[in-house]
């Protein structure tokens, strides 16, 4: 259905671009009175709508959106989710779903009964046909329930983000009715009009809203204090409660939480209601947020009043800052786009699951932007983005559903400009909190991030053209990278192609001509060409309608001594190659002994002739040391390693500050150079003693020419360990397929491997798949590191195939794994080995997850110990890959010797650790169920939160590991508890962070000195 609707409207839209004089837009005015009951999360009320038909057509029907209906089982959105393997809507409880019920519907005073609802779209036949220039009147009584997680509306406890909540007429424009069902990617499209809204809620709630509050004194008991000049009033409600005006000094300083001043709970105050009377003019959507704990900061920009609403949890990041970021953003957009046209703007901390969600003069910013995000700059950039939407969605009423690359793309483009405007582009402080970090840490910039994300996606060969309607994109990742990152990169190229002056004029004209209207892409292109004074079809076609890529290469520079008009110098023959299908004007930069000296521009017309290379000869006075294409990084060139005449690709070194020193450290992939991250390493175990070394990690973008090298010297032992690996995409166009070579000698064992890998790269892929084929040699050269006889000496050379796939299902997750090994030429052992595993994880049976596991393994031939199956612990290869477990003395040996420390795996029967067993056959089954995390009877700082990191599980397992010669049938069972604690910060130091206490309290075959039921324990550390 969604494809059908889109396919019906959209081709028509691109085919018939009507002249501007055909332009019309409808107008809708609303009077809404609604109650929000916080105990049920339901809105009930009445809505009166005046609908003005400014179209040249007589209308016989009007369509409405009932957006909340998407958040219930069987909706189009649910079906789309299920196709993608997401069952979150299908499994939402009745209390948490969303709906809009139409209890009564009238048109021009007469009750309408033959309206038809198809999930989120309602068709209302008009009582009388509505001729051009006339208006009609609707009256509805409705009840809606706010979905717990409606992405762009949400609720959590006593917090409500209320958007898309009222029956809303669909847009009727020059392309007809826009009756798109509400699906995951598309956003909204609305008619401009006025809103008179009255919201009734228990009086403990504070409401943040679009538009202007008409009864401020009634609601707050007094007028909110008014800021002067650039001041920020922090926690403005404090002054009303204290019945005092803010002192001048208070205006400037931060104060503590209003929450401590004690507000009554909702339920107790239900009889005390408050009505919020709000008016908003000439906007196309109305949203509000309610929370009894809201604090309000206020500042102004000219006559505009700016507020931020936030809760005590986010004080540290929000107080004073959020309102100030909002003002900076409004100033930026007012100066670079169009003056702010409304009375107020509100930035509100919200429970919405997207980072932020824009409404015309209000934005909801996800609270996680304070809790989890390392840098205040991320909060600022998110606010700058959502405020930007007030222009690119609010003032320019784009059709977000059909053309996300306009609203999201232009907003992303201007967000980057905002950040560059305030912090600079290349040399900025965006990712630093302290001064020392600037010397050591890699520095990101938002434009690099946009280009990198786009290029990495383009290289996967799984892109959709920019001008793809939101719902036609193959998946969310494709929609996201195109509409945000590629689009932003493309608008930078448009600015480069038009020149800064003309581009500024174009943005200005866009608002002058289209403010408070519905511009489409065709209008956007027409206007750009009009201002440019020439054809830009080459640009718009390649970037918006194709997935062609741009790859210029500087093929050669030949310098020959020459005279030119009495000057001695060099004639330089420069050859540039175009390896991609996209074209662009180019800027060449010529360096002499590394100082920048000349630039020359090659116009796009050169490439419009269809040539794939271009030669030019230029006279310079001295011999250039280097010539570079696009040194300013204006172009989204998919391979920049070939953009310079120097023989070595550009390399950037970045120091990797260890995560335990600075957890917020991150690795930045650079669009213009090969990045090598490096850091010293230190390690200890009792065999090799202290080992000091150095690690390098090189890559171009994320997936290309990845080279890892790591070497360490044992200070006491004098032994040298190393690990080196190189991997690269098999073909540049699809980095999911890669090849690798690797070699290491580490703590007494060595491995060389060569192979190929397939791996899903889309982080959202519900069918995450990995397949690896490798030929590898493993060998033991120093048994001193081993526990027991876990490795046999000699060479083991195998060809291995392994496979894993994850299936997201309605009931939970299935993970399937398998591996096959066969020894090959050069091996001291001859054997074959096969293993398979199946894990099913089901939600909602018990308290948490219920997990089922099954494993089978079989090996035949002369099997060395490291390839035997183990009853209680992981197999030797896995153990070798784990730094903490692979060698004696990293953790005290005694823990391991007495069977209290182990790495889980094998048949999973930890109750038999002391008995130890391994063999050539394995069969095991297990079931486990989460138990509730322990809770404290009252709140103790730190401890209460740590309790949630404790996850107890009950389990039952059975299995057998044996060799064909064994005669006894020892199928063993055990049952007990596993209590896992996720240790904070441990993961920063090691790869492992989960400490598990295993309590196999009952086992079927105890040792002679044990009972079946006995206190038995062991622990493990896993990732
Ligand atoms: Zn956005």
């Amino acid at each position: 259905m969604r494809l059908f609707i889109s396919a019906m409207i959209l081709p028509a839209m691109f085919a018939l671009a009507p002249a501007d004089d055909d332009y019309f837009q409808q107008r809708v005015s609303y009077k809404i009175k609604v109650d929000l009951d916080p105990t049920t999360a339901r809105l009930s009320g009445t809505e009166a709508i005046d609908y003005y038909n400014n179209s040249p057509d007589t209308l016989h029907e009007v369509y409405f959106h009932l957006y909340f209906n998407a958040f219930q089982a069987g909706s189009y959105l649910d079906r789309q989710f299920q196709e993608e393997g997401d069952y979150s809507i299908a499994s939402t409880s009745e209390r948490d779903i969303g709906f809009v019920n139409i209890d009564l519907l009238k048109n021009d005073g007469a009750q309408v009964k033959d309206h038809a609802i198809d999930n989120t779209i309602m068709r209302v036949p008009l009582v009388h046909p509505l001729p051009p220039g006339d208006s009609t009147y609707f009256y509805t009584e409705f009840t809606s329930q706010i979905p717990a997680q409606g992405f762009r509306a949400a609720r959590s406890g006593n917090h409500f983000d209320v958007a898309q909540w009222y029956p809303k007429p669909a847009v009727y424009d020059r392309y007809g009715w826009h009756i798109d069902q509400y699906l995951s990617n598309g956003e909204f499209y609305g008619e401009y009009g006025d809103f008179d809204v009255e919201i009734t809620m228990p009086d403990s709630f504070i409401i943040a809203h679009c538009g202007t509050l008409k009864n401020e004194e009634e609601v707050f008991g007094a007028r909110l204090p008014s800021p002067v000049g650039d001041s920020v009033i922090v926690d403005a409600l404090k002054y009303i409660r204290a019945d005092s005006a803010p002192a001048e000094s208070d205006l400037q300083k931060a104060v503590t939480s209003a929450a401590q001043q004690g507000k009554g709970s909702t339920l107790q105050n239900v009889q005390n209601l408050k009505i919020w009377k709000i008016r908003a003019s000439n906007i196309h959507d109305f949203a509000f947020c309610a929370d009894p704990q809201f604090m309000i900061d206020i500042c102004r920009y000219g006559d505009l009043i700016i507020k931020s609403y936030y809760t005590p949890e986010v004080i540290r990041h929000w107080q004073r800052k959020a309102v100030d970021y909002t003002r900076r953003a409004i100033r930026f957009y007012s100066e670079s786009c169009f003056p702010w046209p409304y009375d107020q703007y509100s930035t509100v901390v919200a429970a919405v699951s997207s980072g932020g969600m824009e409404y015309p003069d209000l934005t909801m910013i996800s609270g996680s932007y304070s809790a989890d995000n390392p840098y205040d700059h991320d909060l600022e950039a998110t606010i700058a983005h959502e405020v930007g939407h007030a222009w690119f969605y609010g003032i320019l009423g784009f059709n977000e559903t059909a053309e996300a690359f306009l609203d999201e793309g232009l907003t992303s483009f201007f967000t980057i400009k905002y950040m560059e405007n305030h912090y600079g582009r290349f040399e900025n402080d965006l990712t630093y909190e302290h001064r020392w970090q600037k010397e050591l840490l890699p520095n990101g910039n938002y434009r690099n991030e946009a280009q990198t994300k786009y290029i990495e996606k383009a290289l996967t060969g799984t892109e959709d053209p920019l001008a793809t309607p939101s719902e036609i994109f193959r998946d969310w990742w494709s929609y996201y990278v195109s509409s945000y990152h590629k689009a932003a990169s493309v608008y930078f190229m448009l600015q480069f192609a038009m020149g800064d002056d003309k581009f500024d004029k174009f943005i200005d004209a866009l608002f002058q001509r289209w403010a408070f209207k519905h511009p489409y892409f065709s209008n956007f292109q027409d206007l750009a060409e009009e201002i440019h004074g020439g054809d830009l079809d080459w640009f718009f076609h390649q970037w918006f309608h194709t997935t062609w890529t741009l790859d210029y290469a500087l093929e050669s520079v030949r310098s020959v001594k020459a005279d030119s008009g009495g000057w001695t110098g060099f004639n330089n023959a420069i050859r540039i190659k175009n390896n991609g299908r996209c074209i662009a004007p180019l800027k060449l930069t010529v360096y002499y002994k590394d100082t920048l000296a000349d630039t020359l521009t090659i116009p796009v017309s050169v490439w419009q002739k269809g040539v794939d290379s271009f030669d030019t000869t230029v006279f310079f006075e001295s011999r250039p040391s280097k010539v570079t294409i696009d040194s300013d990084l204006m172009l989204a060139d998919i391979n920049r390693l070939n953009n310079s005449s120097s023989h070595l690709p550009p390399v950037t070194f970045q120091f990797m500050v260890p995560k335990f020193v600075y957890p917020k450290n991150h690795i930045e992939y650079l669009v213009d150079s090969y990045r090598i991250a490096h850091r010293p390493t230190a390690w200890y175990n009792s065999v090799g003693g202290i080992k000091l070394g150095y690690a390098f990690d090189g890559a171009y973008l994320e997936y290309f020419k990845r080279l890892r090298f790591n070497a360490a010297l044992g200070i006491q032992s004098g032994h040298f360990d190393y690990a080196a690996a190189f991997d690269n995409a098999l073909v540049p166009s699809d980095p999911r397929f890669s090849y690798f070579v690797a070699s290491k000698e580490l703590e007494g064992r060595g491995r060389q491997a060569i192979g190929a890998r397939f791996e899903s790269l889309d982080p959202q892929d519900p069918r995450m798949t990995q397949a690896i084929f490798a030929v590898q040699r493993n060998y033991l050269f120093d048994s001193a590191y081993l526990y027991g006889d876990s490795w046999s000496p000699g060479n083991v050379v195998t060809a291995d195939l392994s496979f894993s796939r994850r299936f997201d299902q309605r009931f939970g997750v299935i993970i399937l794994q398998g591996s096959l090994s066969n020894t090959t030429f050069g091996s001291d052992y001859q054997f074959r080995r096969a293993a398979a595993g199946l894990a099913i994880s089901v939600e909602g049976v018990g308290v948490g997850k219920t997990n089922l596991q099954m494993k089978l393994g079989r090996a035949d031939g002369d099997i060395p110990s490291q390839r035997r199956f183990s009853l209680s612990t992981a197999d030797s290869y896995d153990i070798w890959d784990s730094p903490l477990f692979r060698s004696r003395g990293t953790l005290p040996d005694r823990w391991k010797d007495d069977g209290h420390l182990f790495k889980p795996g094998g048949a999973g029967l930890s109750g038999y650790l002391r008995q130890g067993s391994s063999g050539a056959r394995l069969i095991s089954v297990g079931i486990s169920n989460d138990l509730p995390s322990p809770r404290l009877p009252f709140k103790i700082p730190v401890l209460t939160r740590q309790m949630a990191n404790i996850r107890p599980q009950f389990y039952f397992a059975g299995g057998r590991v044996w060799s064909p010669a064994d005669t006894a049938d020892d199928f063993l069972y055990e049952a007990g508890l596993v209590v896992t604690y996720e240790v904070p910060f441990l993961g920063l130091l090691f790869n492992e962070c989960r400490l598990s206490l295993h309590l196999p309290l009952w086992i079927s075959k105890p040792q002679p000195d044990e009972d079946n039921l006995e206190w038995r324990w062991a622990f493990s550390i896993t990732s």
Side-chain angles (χ1 to χ4, degrees), residues 187 358 385-386 389 407-408 411-412 484:
E187 292 185 308
E358 67 274 10
H385 179 97
E386 303 307 337
H389 273 303
D407 64 290
E408 292 302 351
T411 303
S412 301
Y484 292 72

Side-chain angles (χ1 to χ4, degrees), residues 318-442:
W318 275 66
Q319 193 158 73
R320 171 180 297 275
K321 293 180 198 159
V323 77
D324 206 42
Y325 295 152
T326 306
R327 172 165 55 190
R328 286 165 73 154
I330 287 176
R331 177 181 293 135
F332 173 78
Y333 291 104
S334 292
E335 286 168 2
S336 43
C337 296
F338 187 75
W340 177 254
Y342 303 113
D343 295 339
Q344 75 98 33
Y345 193 92
S346 295
T347 296
V348 190
V349 75
V352 290
S353 61
S354 49
M357 184 57 207
E358 67 274 10
Y359 293 100
D361 56 347
L362 172 146
T363 183
M364 302 175 183
I365 304 285
S366 163
S368 65
Y369 262 86
S370 341
D372 304 336
N373 264 278
Y375 313 106
D376 281 348
H377 293 115
D378 279 356
L379 177 63
E380 179 171 7
T382 307
I383 289 177
H385 179 97
E386 303 307 337
V387 168
H389 273 303
W391 278 262
F392 301 100
Y393 145 87
I395 298 172
L396 297 178
F398 292 125
N399 181 342
E400 292 184 301
T401 318
E403 299 180 330
F405 58 93
L406 288 175
D407 64 290
E408 292 302 351
L410 285 162
T411 303
S412 301
F413 167 77
F414 272 99
T415 308
I416 296 170
K417 283 174 91 79
Y418 167 93
M419 294 308 279
E420 290 180 358
N421 191 53
H422 285 85
Y423 298 99
R425 184 177 169 196
F426 295 110
E427 285 305 314
N428 61 62
D429 294 335
L430 286 174
T431 45
Y432 310 127
E433 286 179 329
H434 307 289
R435 214 184 151 71
W436 64 266
Q437 295 161 352
K438 191 161 185 169
E439 307 303 320
L440 288 175
L441 298 183

Side-chain angles (χ1 to χ4, degrees), residues 668-689:
E668 200 71 40
Y669 294 100
L670 301 172
V671 83
D672 62 328
S673 71
Y674 189 78
R675 186 235 50 194
I676 298 178
H678 59 98
R679 68 178 168 90
T681 61
W683 194 245
Y684 174 80
N685 64 47
S686 63
V687 183

Side-chain angles (χ1 to χ4, degrees), residues 122 219 677 882 1019:
M122 172 170 73
V219 164
S882 164
F1019 70 97

Side-chain angles (χ1 to χ4, degrees), residues 27-29 192-196 210-212 278-286 341-343 360-361 394 516:
R27 188 160 186 89
V28 182
S29 284
Y192 285 92
D194 301 330
F195 289 80
D196 270 301
C210 291
T212 307
I278 301 155
R279 173 155 179 95
S281 303
N282 207 23
I283 60 176
H284 57 66
D285 206 349
F286 186 95
Y342 303 113
D343 295 339
D361 56 347
F516 313 111

